């Protein structure tokens, strides 16, 4: 049986309920498919939404704390909402009212914890790094003690999350607008890695490592 | 001379100042290049970040109000932060500490106004529609009076906005880590429209209109 996400006042789907999912595997797949999230925090009573890189393991989402620095500096552990969205295409219906977007989106709620233990911080940074740039942890130079100290890493539990997914053709294929005889369907949006661009100052003869060549050939 | 965005406590760039831009043309270009934003609102004191479609003209960003419905239902005009982000690539440095992302991001702050005048609402929806699915406003069936009444459209002024952009190779090409002899550069992330997918129930003989065929051939 599918493992389900717990439901509460905040994660319960109010609107477009047919697009809501409580399947934990859907959450995991959405988080695995991206590496930039939008972190929402409240600063002086008003919202702030900042994009940042994230990584996650089975139960925890890691992201850089600097984005929430204004709250963190005050030492206040504040609620965040971390949203990851993949836009998969435009839904082109017969009526403009039924137009929409195919997407997969996950919202994670909670109070993040600042990771202070050096070993845990290094492991969290490894997870973040391998999530966004797989293979680089074993290739590039790892953080020094000084760099580690300068990095604010936040850990957010995946316990409270909400998932919404829309797939497939427009919803008005069995309605009165069919009589209009208009074309309807989906225009997919595709995201893929391009070709590696070497740093212009890279000395001649340094070839990109195999894991990056593989990545740049793949779609993602 | 470049037209500049006004600066205040909220839009002033605190972190990574070299990535901040106050050029209005940068804001306009970022908003023009996307059609899904992340809207941040505060509900019961905690942040909520919801993806939604937007459109904009020179001075105003339009988005569907349903995403902010919990606040709107209460009749309270709340502050929002609308963020649009384009992820352009991974910055692969010699050190993990210098790894990063090439991106273009705009944050727009303010209290959105619910558009109630039917003519203005229709025009706002046209702008939103033409922004996300250009050509469809003149092709698909336009909103009926009933559909128009059921649509909550919000208008947000572009007066208070903050832009951040990172482009180019890693920053450690002139530092001590060059001696490691590692490859460094950028892995670009590309987004493009795919091939049109007809609704499976579309009657035979209905061909997609020219504006959609053109769109699907282009990158975006």
């Amino acid at each position: 049986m599918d493992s389900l996400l717990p439901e509460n006042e905040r994660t319960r789907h109010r609107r477009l309920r047919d697009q809501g999912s409580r399947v934990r595997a859907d959450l995991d797949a959405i988080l695995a498919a991206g590496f930039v999230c939008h972190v929402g925090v409240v600063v002086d009573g008003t919202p702030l939404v900042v994009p940042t890189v994230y990584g996650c393991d089975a139960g925890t989402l890691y992201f850089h704390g600097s984005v929430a620095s204004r709250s963190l500096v005050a030492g206040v552990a504040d609620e965040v909402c971390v949203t990851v969205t993949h836009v998969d295409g435009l839904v082109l219906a017969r009526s403009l009212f039924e137009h929409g977007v195919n997407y997969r989106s996950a919202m994670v709620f909670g109070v993040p914890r600042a990771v202070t233990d050096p070993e845990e911080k290094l492991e969290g940074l490894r997870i973040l790094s391998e999530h966004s740039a797989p293979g680089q942890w074993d290739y590039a130079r790892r953080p020094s003690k000084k760099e580690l100290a300068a990095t604010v890493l936040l850990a957010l539990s995946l316990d409270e999350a909400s998932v919404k997914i829309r797939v497939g053709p427009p919803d008005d294929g069995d309605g009165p607008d069919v009589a209009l005889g208009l074309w309807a369907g989906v225009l997919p949006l595709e995201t893929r890695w391009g070709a590696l661009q070497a740093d212009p100052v890279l000395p001649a003869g340094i070839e990109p490592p195999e894991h990056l060549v593989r990545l740049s050939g793949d779609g993602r």
Side-chain angles (χ1 to χ4, degrees), chain A:
Chain A
M1 217 185 91
D2 286 332
S3 168
L4 292 185
L5 300 165
E7 194 173 76
N8 65 15
E9 264 309 289
R10 194 153 52 175
T11 59
R12 191 158 53 83
H13 297 102
R14 284 171 179 77
R15 292 184 50 247
L16 304 172
R17 275 182 211 161
D18 55 318
Q19 296 180 13
S21 163
R22 286 186 55 214
V23 179
R24 181 165 288 277
D26 287 340
L27 172 67
D28 293 341
I30 290 169
L31 295 179
F35 62 96
V36 171
C37 61
H38 280 83
V39 177
V41 290
V42 181
V43 177
D44 300 334
T46 69
L48 194 68
V49 178
V50 183
T52 192
V53 173
Y54 71 92
C56 48
D57 64 10
T60 307
L61 187 141
Y62 295 95
F63 61 104
H64 282 117
S66 42
V67 298
S69 54
R70 279 195 261 179
S71 330
L72 282 171
V73 164
V76 184
D78 277 333
E79 289 273 352
V80 301
C81 172
V82 176
T83 300
V84 175
T85 305
H86 308 294
V87 179
D88 295 325
L90 280 179
V91 180
L92 303 157
R94 286 105 185 139
S95 72
L96 288 156
F97 190 73
E98 291 290 341
H99 272 54
V101 172
N102 278 343
Y103 70 102
R104 292 160 290 147
S105 184
M107 296 161 71
V108 184
F109 303 95
V111 177
R113 175 177 60 86
V115 179
T116 51
D117 177 78
E119 264 183 58
E120 192 194 352
K121 195 189 263 189
L122 202 65
E123 173 61 9
L125 287 174
R126 188 191 66 78
I127 288 168
L128 196 156
S129 173
E130 285 302 282
H131 186 96
S132 51
Q136 287 293 93
W137 189 257
D138 288 330
Y139 179 75
R141 179 177 65 70
R142 295 198 188 158
S144 66
K145 272 192 182 172
K146 196 178 157 189
E147 288 169 347
L148 213 56
T151 306
V152 179
L153 184 72
L154 296 181
L156 179 64
S157 159
L158 294 176
D159 282 349
E160 193 179 345
S162 176
V163 170
K164 282 204 173 177
I165 298 171
R166 198 216 180 273
V167 292
D171 293 324
D172 61 356
D174 57 358
D177 287 330
V178 169
L180 298 171
L182 297 172
W183 188 90
V186 169
L187 179 58
L189 194 65
E190 295 164 359
T191 302
R192 68 181 75 181
W193 296 115
L196 287 170
Q197 298 170 345
D199 188 340
V201 300
L202 196 73
I206 302 184
E207 296 301 319
E210 182 56 31
H211 65 275
L212 291 180
V213 174
R214 267 201 315 273
L215 203 58
S216 72
D218 293 343
R220 173 162 181 165

